[in-house]
Amino acid sequence: MIEKNEIKTLVEEFLKKSPDYLVDVIIATGNTITVEIDNDNGVNIDDCVELSRYLESKLDRDAEDFELTVTSAGLTSPFKTHRQYKKYEGKEVEVLTKKGEKVKGVLKSSNDNNFTIEVSKMVKPEGAKRKTEIKEEQTYNYDEIKYTKYLIRF
């Protein structure tokens, strides 16, 4: 079976001089390899084709057969790298915590340990007749969440 680390090394070697970066390598049964890449400005099809051709040239089908797919990280797919959090700063995201709490807000900042989102809440101040909107920042460690993904609004 083809090793995940071998594919990761080849991809990172190829992408070294590129604005693209590796998001994930998935190897399923039957040597079905899926490589997900991303770019701060979006991945185009030519980037995927070039990487696919490079990997095909480095792997030996005669020694071990495989199926290869090179794709961009989906727009609505959960974030898998810290760089994806950076990419979406200032955009609206949805977070599902491991406790089952779903939160929607604007991704304000992120670093290697955690990220902060700004959440809007409707609260009724004491003595007031109507609720007013307040904004509150919430910080989450990466190990506290199941997923974070970009919210598309129309």
Side-chain angles (χ1 to χ4, degrees):
M1 183 164 173
I2 296 173
E3 293 294 319
K4 184 175 183 173
N5 286 337
E6 176 186 1
I7 302 298
K8 282 177 126 177
T9 302
L10 289 170
V11 171
E12 288 168 352
E13 176 184 303
F14 180 81
L15 297 178
K16 208 180 291 184
K17 296 175 184 171
S18 165
D20 298 333
Y21 56 92
L22 177 63
V23 173
D24 200 6
V25 172
I26 302 160
I27 300 181
T29 55
N31 274 342
T32 302
I33 305 165
T34 303
V35 176
E36 291 181 356
I37 60 173
D38 205 349
N39 181 313
D40 294 335
N41 299 311
V43 176
N44 69 47
I45 189 74
D46 294 334
D47 297 336
C48 295
V49 170
E50 286 177 33
L51 177 56
S52 179
R53 287 183 179 148
Y54 174 79
L55 291 173
E56 288 271 354
S57 74
K58 296 293 183 182
L59 299 172
D60 184 5
R61 281 194 186 275
D62 294 332
E64 194 163 12
D65 197 24
F66 60 90
E67 178 183 327
L68 176 64
T69 304
V70 177
T71 184
S72 64
L75 191 57
T76 58
S77 298
F79 301 165
K80 296 179 180 177
T81 69
H82 295 185
R83 190 159 170 191
Q84 288 179 297
Y85 282 85
K86 283 285 180 208
K87 175 181 176 179
Y88 287 100
E89 285 180 2
K91 308 272 196 257
E92 192 171 9
V93 296
E94 176 182 276
V95 176
L96 179 63
T97 67
K98 288 184 178 175
K99 294 178 183 175
E101 176 187 18
K102 193 177 275 190
V103 183
K104 295 178 184 177
V106 176
L107 181 59
K108 297 304 276 183
S109 64
S110 62
N111 60 41
D112 289 342
N113 302 314
N114 54 46
F115 64 95
T116 301
I117 62 171
E118 183 179 76
V119 179
S120 296
K121 292 183 177 183
M122 297 299 286
V123 295
K124 186 175 177 183
E126 194 173 314
K129 291 185 178 183
R130 295 185 182 172
K131 290 183 177 183
T132 59
E133 182 181 35
I134 62 163
K135 295 190 185 279
E136 173 182 285
E137 288 191 357
Q138 298 176 354
T139 300
Y140 296 93
N141 290 327
Y142 295 112
D143 62 358
E144 296 177 310
I145 60 156
K146 282 190 178 179
Y147 70 74
T148 302
K149 59 184 178 180
Y150 174 62
L151 274 181
I152 301 173
R153 296 278 186 195
F154 294 100

